[in-house]
Structure formats: structure tokens, C-alpha cells
Amino acid sequence: MKITRLETLLVQPRWLFLKMYTDAGIVGYGEPVVEGRARTVQQAVQEMEEYLIGQDPRRIEHHWQAIYRHAFYRGGPVLTSALSGVEQAMWDILGKSLNTPVYQLLGGACRDRIRLYAHCGGATPEAAAETARARVAAGYTALKTGVGRSPARIIETPAFVEECTERFAAIRAAVGPHVDIAIDFHGQISPALAIRLAKALEPYHPMFIEEPCLPQNVDTLVTIARSTSIPIATGERLFTKWGFREVLEKQAAVVVQPDLCHAGGILECKKIAAMAECYYAGVAPHNPLGPISLAACLQLDACIPNFLVQEQVNLGDGYLKEPYVLKDGYVDLPTGPGLGIELDEEALAEKIGHDWKNPHLYHEDGSVADW
């Protein structure tokens, strides 16, 4: 079997889909994208085409190594995101060629169903609570919210801390103690403020705090983790197994969140999960992206023993021929070959093309704030 062509599609609202064609008539899907840099990653995929055309797509590890290691400057969001989508497509082709799901090729299923969480938010505590109630009514048993008001100063007022706490408390009161609620600081909070916020939030038992500070300084993350009983999660902006090494060795987080469209693909994230297993850490893959990304995540979730919960923003409605169905907070184990999905080409045709960019945020004094 040989790869004959790569096709990338800019798909609304901000995604990039990949179709990898073969001379056997099998087409593999991947989702190589950096949010706000879709065209940059699209170009990176095109540059990989010169190596990939004529290659057997089933030599997945070999091609991953060749693409990653033949680049003198390794890693980073653009290279590993392009490589992630290519790797997903190769796994899809391999699974389809053998008529079996990808997770069966990675050791088989560790579970019968996969737990998902949904986002909830709102400008006021009441609005956030109402959104949370709606998500639970739709069948979710795990939610994630944000701080509420951003950007935050390095040291904030008592009112800021109270607003954040009241908002989370309202969500907790709305859904009760049997629903897990995570909170995402999005790397927008300073370490000192993160410690203060965590202390205020502890009585409401968040499932975890995601990215309590920016991820570049692992020792700072360790300081925050040691200051609170709330589990710390991080990883959406880390790439490959090497990016997670220090976080795990220093036990800076007990939940790692590799993004299968950024961190290196399905097998690389399975390696990251195995590293995390040594430290008794859970895996909650990051996924604010499209249905191909979700399909890849579910294949990983199925076959790792330390899976915690899966992020998602779209179950495939308007994109897949057979969208995923939520049942009591879970989706069933995928059974189709490869990634287990087929794109709805007719519906997709109406969503081709976008130029989504990251918004620019500024503090009240005009200085740049983190997005």
C-alpha cells in the first residue's frame, strides 16, 4: 500500500481536517491544527507530503521518527501538530485495512465505555449555574468551567476572588455533589493568585484545576500543587513525551492532558500515558477541536488503564455520518475500523473555509494579557 496524496480542509469554526489517500482506495482522516494558526499547519503538512508520497502508511512509528528526527529543530506546536494529524490518518488507514478499531491494535480495550465532560459558563453566577443544569440534563456527569472574568492582574482584589468563588459555588449548588466540576485557569492566573483562588475554591471540591499558571516553569507549578488539596492538571501546551517528562518527574500535576492533535498523535500520547502511569497520574486528553480529534482521543481512551475523562465540544453533529451518542455521561466504545468514523461530505461542504484568529486581550492599563 502506498500514500498517493494528502488533502487538507479548513473546516468551520476553526479546524483543519486531513485526508490521506492511498493506492488501495483507503482514505485516512486526521486533524492537524494549531488554534489560530490553521494555515501555518496546513503548510507544514504540505511540506511533509514530499516525504510521505509513495510510502507505506502502515509503517507508522518509522514515519513518525523520520519526520520528527530529520528536522534539525524538533518539537514545537506547528511541527508536532502537523505530525499528529498525519499520524492519526496513518492509524486510521491501518485500522481500516485490517477492519479493526485502532485501540485493538494498541493492546485492546481497558473499559466498556468512555466518560465525557462538557463545558459550562456564563457572565453571572446565575447564568453559569443555568448552563450547568442544562448540561447535566443533557446527560453529562462531569463539567468544566472557567474563572469567569479575565484577564486577571498579577495580584487581584478580594472582589475578584469572591466573584470567582461565588460563580463556582453557584454551579456546585445547581448540580449537587455527585457531578464532577473542573475549573480551567487557562494559564491566565499568576502563581500567587492561583494559590489564593485554590484556597477559596477548596470547600467546593473541584475535580481539578487546569493550567493554574503558564506551563513553562514547572517548579512554579510544583509550588502551586503543594499548596492545595485540589488536583492539578496540565499538558495541553506540551509536546511529545519529552515535554511531559519534567512535569511527571517533579509530580507537578496528577492529571496530564496531552492533546492528540498537538502532542504527537495517538501512539505518542499512549507513551505519555504510560509515563504517567508510573506516577499514578490520570490522563484527561485535551480536546477543544473537531470530531476527528475526538475520534482519535476515544481510541486512546479505550486502551489506557489510567484514563480519567475526555474533553469534547462537538459529538459530530453536522460533521459525521454517525455522531456519537451520550448515555449517562458516557459514549459507547467505538466499534468501527480505524478511527471508527466517516465524514458527512454533504454536510461538511457547507462548512469549508475559515480564517479564525486568536483574540487579543489587554489589561485595563493597555498592556498585553495572556490569552
Side-chain angles (χ1 to χ4, degrees):
M1 192 190 303
K2 304 295 182 185
I3 299 169
T4 58
R5 182 165 65 97
L6 303 181
E7 179 185 9
T8 52
L9 304 167
L10 292 161
V11 178
Q12 298 168 16
R14 60 176 188 174
W15 306 329
L16 182 67
F17 290 178
L18 168 66
K19 294 181 180 179
M20 180 179 287
Y21 295 87
T22 68
D23 61 0
I26 299 173
V27 180
Y29 300 141
E31 194 165 339
V33 68
V34 174
E35 297 90 315
R37 293 288 185 270
R39 294 185 185 277
T40 307
V41 181
Q42 188 176 39
Q43 181 62 40
V45 172
Q46 290 174 3
E47 291 173 358
M48 293 175 182
E49 191 173 32
E50 181 179 354
Y51 166 78
L52 288 166
I53 297 302
Q55 299 280 3
D56 185 340
R58 297 168 295 186
R59 298 185 67 192
I60 300 168
E61 180 72 85
H62 176 73
H63 297 322
W64 194 100
Q65 295 289 333
I67 292 171
Y68 187 83
R69 293 167 59 191
H70 286 168
F72 181 78
Y73 296 99
R74 299 178 181 179
V78 174
L79 171 61
T80 53
S81 296
L83 180 54
S84 295
V86 165
E87 193 259 13
Q88 293 166 8
M90 290 192 288
W91 276 112
D92 194 26
I93 290 168
L94 177 59
K96 287 174 177 175
S97 72
L98 298 172
N99 196 33
T100 191
V102 169
Y103 65 81
Q104 294 285 21
L105 305 174
L106 294 172
C110 292
R111 54 191 44 82
D112 300 321
R113 54 182 186 162
I114 298 166
R115 193 184 188 200
L116 305 183
Y117 72 80
H119 298 90
C120 63
T124 65
E126 294 77 17
E130 184 59 33
T131 304
R133 277 192 288 266
R135 298 287 186 268
V136 172
Y140 291 96
T141 62
L143 309 172
K144 188 171 76 179
T145 189
V147 170
R149 180 159 61 90
S150 67
R153 304 185 191 99
I154 294 173
I155 298 175
E156 268 291 355
T157 63
F160 179 93
V161 177
E162 289 172 7
E163 287 173 18
C164 175
T165 307
E166 288 173 3
R167 187 173 182 277
F168 194 92
I171 296 172
R172 172 58 73 203
V175 301
H178 298 292
V179 173
D180 283 313
I181 314 167
I183 183 166
D184 189 357
F185 285 12
H186 212 258
Q188 294 178 316
I189 304 298
S190 74
L193 182 57
I195 291 171
R196 184 168 287 177
L197 280 174
K199 183 177 181 180
L201 290 167
E202 277 190 339
Y204 305 100
H205 302 285
M207 185 184 191
F208 55 74
I209 295 175
E210 180 174 330
E211 280 202 322
C213 67
L214 289 168
Q216 291 94 336
N217 189 325
V218 176
D219 287 327
T220 302
L221 195 59
V222 171
T223 298
I224 297 171
R226 299 295 177 270
S227 74
T228 180
S229 66
I230 302 172
I232 298 300
T234 195
E236 67 187 73
R237 288 187 267 194
L238 302 178
F239 313 109
T240 74
K241 64 184 80 68
W242 293 284
F244 284 83
R245 179 191 60 80
E246 187 180 6
V247 168
L248 289 166
E249 286 180 353
K250 293 183 175 179
Q251 300 185 56
V254 295
V255 178
V256 293
Q257 299 173 295
D259 189 309
L260 275 74
C261 293
H262 300 329
I266 297 171
L267 183 56
E268 187 69 5
C269 288
K270 192 175 194 305
K271 294 176 183 179
I272 292 165
M275 291 167 61
E277 190 180 353
C278 295
Y279 295 90
Y280 313 113
V283 180
H286 177 254
N287 174 38
L289 296 171
I292 299 176
S293 173
L294 178 59
C297 288
L298 295 178
Q299 298 298 323
L300 176 72
D301 302 339
C303 67
I304 57 173
N306 50 338
F307 168 70
L308 178 65
V309 66
Q310 177 62 56
E311 180 176 23
Q312 56 77 41
V313 296
N314 183 286
L315 294 177
D317 296 284
Y319 297 91
L320 301 182
K321 288 183 178 179
E322 296 184 12
Y324 296 103
V325 178
L326 187 75
K327 302 175 184 176
D328 301 321
Y330 295 79
V331 293
D332 290 338
L333 206 64
T335 57
L339 296 182
I341 57 170
E342 288 297 330
L343 295 176
D344 185 337
E345 298 289 353
E346 184 176 342
L348 199 63
E350 302 174 356
K351 302 177 178 69
I352 298 300
H354 72 81
D355 193 28
W356 189 89
K357 296 289 194 303
N358 296 70
H360 290 191
L361 298 182
Y362 300 91
H363 292 289
E364 57 192 15
D365 63 359
S367 61
V368 173
D370 292 308
W371 185 78

